[in-house]
Amino acid sequence: MYHIGNSTYTVVGGQCVRGTMQQGMGRDEVDPGRFSDQPEENPEVTPVGRDTIDGEEVLVYEISQAESQKPLTYYILADSGYPRRIEGESMRWDFHSWGVVDPIQKPEGDCQSMPGGGTMADGGS
């Protein structure tokens, strides 16, 4: 997932979908500060273990979901508190490059418009 300005590009299985922040996930939903700066909002959530992902130590949290038998599993970087991976019953998100300041560009190729319509802030490019 790429957030550039008000545009969101999501690449899954080689397919690219574009939309606006208003159509998709908002920046607040992927703000790493939500995971590390406000632990008091979820005081009952404690790690169920530790693991490593690509050599990085992570704390493992399991969060129950009302709509699923399986919990969401959060892998949080032990040294920064930033998310590294979130796994659910049918999805897995890997997060990386926290703090990297290289320029971000939209994915190459033809990105289809996100279902639900809406106007692209950058004219749909």
Side-chain angles (χ1 to χ4, degrees):
M1 183 175 293
Y2 303 78
H3 294 293
I4 303 170
N6 285 333
S7 298
T8 303
Y9 300 88
T10 305
V11 179
V12 176
Q15 300 294 317
C16 179
V17 179
R18 71 173 186 260
T20 63
M21 294 300 288
Q22 292 75 32
Q23 288 174 285
M25 184 181 293
R27 283 195 193 279
D28 291 340
E29 294 179 64
V30 293
D31 176 11
R34 289 183 55 228
F35 292 87
S36 61
D37 294 343
Q38 301 170 359
E40 67 280 356
E41 289 186 13
N42 295 302
E44 72 283 357
V45 178
T46 57
V48 296
R50 291 178 175 262
D51 204 344
T52 58
I53 298 175
D54 297 330
E56 297 177 296
E57 184 179 7
V58 292
L59 303 174
V60 181
Y61 294 83
E62 292 182 347
I63 312 296
S64 297
Q65 305 178 85
E67 64 277 356
S68 175
Q69 296 269 338
K70 291 189 171 191
L72 275 178
T73 304
Y74 287 77
Y75 299 88
I76 306 299
L77 292 169
D79 62 351
S80 67
Y82 287 3
R84 175 59 181 84
R85 178 177 290 161
I86 300 173
E87 287 182 328
E89 195 167 344
S90 62
M91 63 84 171
R92 182 174 103 183
W93 289 2
D94 282 305
F95 299 87
H96 59 84
S97 305
W98 295 114
V100 174
V101 295
D102 290 338
I104 299 172
Q105 298 180 11
K106 72 178 188 172
E108 293 183 15
D110 181 32
C111 289
Q112 303 300 311
S113 293
M114 187 175 286
T119 303
M120 290 293 296
D122 63 1
S125 62

